[in-house]
Each structure stands twice: as C-alpha cells, then as structure tokens.
Amino acid sequence: DTERMYVMGLSMGGMGTFELVSRMPKTFAAAAPICGGDNPKAANKYAKKVPFWIFHGRKDDIVLPKYSEAMAAAINAKGGDAKLTIYPNANHNSWDPTFAEPELLSWLFSNSK
C-alpha cells in the first residue's frame, strides 16, 4: 500500500529515518525515529509533509536527547507535526519503552498519504 509506507529506526537508524524522509518526503506517511537526530535545517524539506513521533531517553549518553528535541522543535516551527516523547529514566536503549508504547502502532497506522 503506497499510501501507508512508514519508516522507523533507532540510533544511527534514527538518524537514517530523518535522512530518508529528507530525501523522499513524498514516500512516507509517517516517521518514528528513536534516539536519532539530524540537522534542524533539514526540517524545511519535510515538515509539512510527514508527521513524526520522535523518541529519546533523557539519560542517553551515546546520542544526546538534545538532537531529538532540536528536530521536534524545528519540524513544529516549520508548520509540521512532530510529537516528542522523552523517557526520563532511559539511556540509549530507549527503543524498549518506545516499542512498549501503547499508542505507537495505532498512531503509526492512522497516518496515510
């Protein structure tokens, strides 16, 4: 279903999630990067085209949470739709609470092009 293509990734894959959406903003119905980041200037390419739910652990000392915070702020500042969830007790392994997020799949599948 080309109207329901989604992208998720964690750590370097979270960074890759932002990169894929940046390169192919018309392809994805939604994106969920986990403990990733990107250059906030890239949000211009996709802010109004793809909704994001961004996840990060507050205690992450591998990829700092400020990168996810900056991306959520940049997407929203450009008129986009970015939710941000920061898990206060999670370190880099924030994918465990993300995949346990009760609304994740329903949010993801509620989006279509």
Side-chain angles (χ1 to χ4, degrees), residues 4 35 103:
R4 294 180 175 273
C35 59
E103 299 301 316

Side-chain angles (χ1 to χ4, degrees), residues 18-41:
F18 286 111
E19 183 67 23
L20 276 170
V21 174
S22 178
R23 291 177 185 228
M24 302 165 57
K26 294 179 181 177
T27 301
F28 299 104
I34 305 165
C35 59
D38 194 13
N39 183 334
K41 292 178 182 178

